[in-house]
Amino acid sequence: MGDLIEEWATRVAEAELSGTLPQRWAHTQGVAKRAVEVSHALGQDASLLVAAATLHDVGYAPQLVVTGFHPLDGARFLRDEHGADEQLVRLVANHSFALMEAEERGLRKELASEFPLLEEPLLVDALVHCDMTTTPDGGRTTAEERVVEILGRYGGDSVVGRFIRRAAPEIFGAVGRVEAALAAQPR
């Protein structure tokens, strides 16, 4: 089952992103690679993490944009067009503290009611870790450098800039918790 969901996720993400958004596809591939690297700390949720990492930005695909908020657009696409697993859809909808950005966009109530946050903190944190330690072109970075990069790209007064400044302490906390969990794993 695990390999099947990962393969399916790769096919869907590649089909939606690689042609129209090659840099977003490169980021997605980097996030998925990070997920494979940390997945051993998640046991039975390893494949779910890899699939969510692979699909986390699918809502950026121009053909899928409805609200303009990629976590919500991507989750709806996965649910409505693919009948994807509920946990997977909820991870995509809520990746990297999306609820905080949804608030900036006036979509918090919609996101929270349609796609409640999973009650699996390590899994949620692991997806944040993978996304926030990967550059836009798929390379490795620190969460601190990633936040600076996002602020530089979008500007501090933009919706994304306001969100990322508010979310930064939460992002750093999530990354730290995952790094601690990985350090505690037997070698």
Side-chain angles (χ1 to χ4, degrees):
M1 174 75 174
D3 287 345
L4 293 178
I5 194 169
E6 291 174 33
E7 290 171 15
W8 169 81
T10 301
R11 284 195 308 274
V12 170
E14 184 174 17
E16 300 300 335
L17 296 172
S18 66
T20 56
L21 298 171
Q23 187 176 31
R24 184 66 57 185
W25 174 234
H27 169 73
T28 295
Q29 291 174 295
V31 174
K33 183 178 179 183
R34 298 285 291 159
V36 169
E37 293 168 3
V38 304
S39 65
H40 67 276
L42 293 171
Q44 66 183 14
D45 289 331
S47 291
L48 181 57
L49 173 64
V50 174
T54 304
L55 292 165
H56 80 286
D57 276 352
V58 73
Y60 275 117
Q63 61 275 21
L64 305 183
V65 174
V66 176
T67 68
F69 183 44
H70 77 278
L72 184 57
D73 291 340
R76 285 177 171 167
F77 165 73
L78 294 169
R79 178 193 63 200
D80 300 343
E81 299 296 320
H82 290 281
D85 174 83
E86 181 186 355
Q87 286 187 299
L88 173 63
V89 171
R90 288 168 61 187
L91 278 168
V92 168
N94 288 287
H95 77 272
S96 298
F97 300 99
L99 206 51
M100 293 174 103
E101 186 175 344
E103 189 173 323
E104 290 284 337
R105 295 174 178 273
L107 294 168
R108 182 183 176 94
K109 191 173 186 180
E110 201 170 339
L111 181 65
S113 64
E114 216 171 312
F115 303 104
L117 187 62
L118 286 180
E119 303 270 337
E120 297 180 47
L122 184 58
L123 179 58
V124 172
D125 283 352
L127 185 54
V128 172
H129 177 276
C130 296
D131 187 21
M132 290 297 159
T133 60
T134 303
T135 65
D137 63 358
R140 290 176 180 264
T141 191
T142 66
E144 292 79 10
E145 290 170 342
R146 179 86 159 110
V147 166
V148 168
E149 179 275 318
I150 291 169
L151 279 168
R153 186 163 26 119
Y154 288 95
D157 293 330
S158 69
V159 168
V160 175
R162 289 189 308 271
F163 148 70
I164 204 69
R165 281 196 321 266
R166 281 182 51 220
E170 302 293 334
I171 291 166
F172 301 151
V175 169
R177 288 186 295 272
V178 171
E179 288 173 355
L182 292 170
Q185 290 286 310
R187 298 234 177 239

